[in-house]
């Protein structure tokens, strides 16, 4: 139904992966209210020495743990598909590689596939 059913979990078959989380999320309306309630309940559970959404304590959870917990709780989490046009830069080496691939394009930037 166009929903994400698993995110941030270990996989045994790389071919089963249908997308990559780039760390950008948007919440609104009822989804935001439901997520706030999940976070409130998880924080309360952690104060009582328990976890609900993840096996990790709240202060050690990644965003993907929170999203997977939301999925398990029945919230609809939908992807936005991006086909190219972005680069992940985590360190100076990544930046140097990105500078080889990114070209000025008027007001914005354009990513060249093969330098």
């Amino acid at each position: 139904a166009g929903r994400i059913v698993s995110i941030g979990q270990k996989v045994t078959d790389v071919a089963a992966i249908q997308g990559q989380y780039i760390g950008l999320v948007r919440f609104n309306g009822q989804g935001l209210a439901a997520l706030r309630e999940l976070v409130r309940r998880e924080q309360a559970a952690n104060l009582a020495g328990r976890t609900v959404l993840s096996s990790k304590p709240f202060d050690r959870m990644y965003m993907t743990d929170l999203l997977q917990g939301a999925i398990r709780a029945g919230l609809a989490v939908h992807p936005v598909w991006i086909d190219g046009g972005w680069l992940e830069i985590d360190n100076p080496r990544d930046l140097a590689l990105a500078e080889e691939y990114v070209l000025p394009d008027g007001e914005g930037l354009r990513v060249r596939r093969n330098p």
Side-chain angles (χ1 to χ4, degrees), residues 61-84:
M61 287 174 59
Y62 293 106
M63 179 56 88
T64 53
D65 296 320
L66 178 61
L67 293 172
Q68 186 63 48
I71 291 166
R72 279 195 302 272
L75 296 181
V77 178
H78 298 273
V80 174
W81 296 103
I82 301 169
D83 184 20

Side-chain angles (χ1 to χ4, degrees), residues 12 16 20 27 29 39 46 51-52 71-73 79 83 95 103 106-107:
T12 56
Q20 181 179 0
F27 303 101
V39 167
N46 273 227
T51 61
V52 177
I71 291 166
R72 279 195 302 272
D83 184 20
L95 179 59
L103 303 169
E107 294 292 316

Side-chain angles (χ1 to χ4, degrees), residues 25-101:
V25 294
R26 177 180 156 219
F27 303 101
N28 59 22
Q30 291 176 327
L32 178 58
L35 188 68
R36 282 182 175 151
E37 179 59 22
L38 280 175
V39 167
R40 188 196 64 71
R41 281 191 278 159
E42 186 68 17
Q43 288 173 321
N46 273 227
L47 288 173
R50 299 179 290 115
T51 61
V52 177
L53 298 178
S54 170
S55 60
K56 299 175 187 168
F58 184 78
D59 63 347
R60 298 197 191 266
M61 287 174 59
Y62 293 106
M63 179 56 88
T64 53
D65 296 320
L66 178 61
L67 293 172
Q68 186 63 48
I71 291 166
R72 279 195 302 272
L75 296 181
V77 178
H78 298 273
V80 174
W81 296 103
I82 301 169
D83 184 20
W86 69 275
L87 298 169
E88 181 174 353
I89 301 172
D90 294 323
N91 55 52
R93 186 177 182 313
D94 289 350
L95 179 59
L97 286 170
E99 287 171 342
E100 291 181 38
Y101 283 89

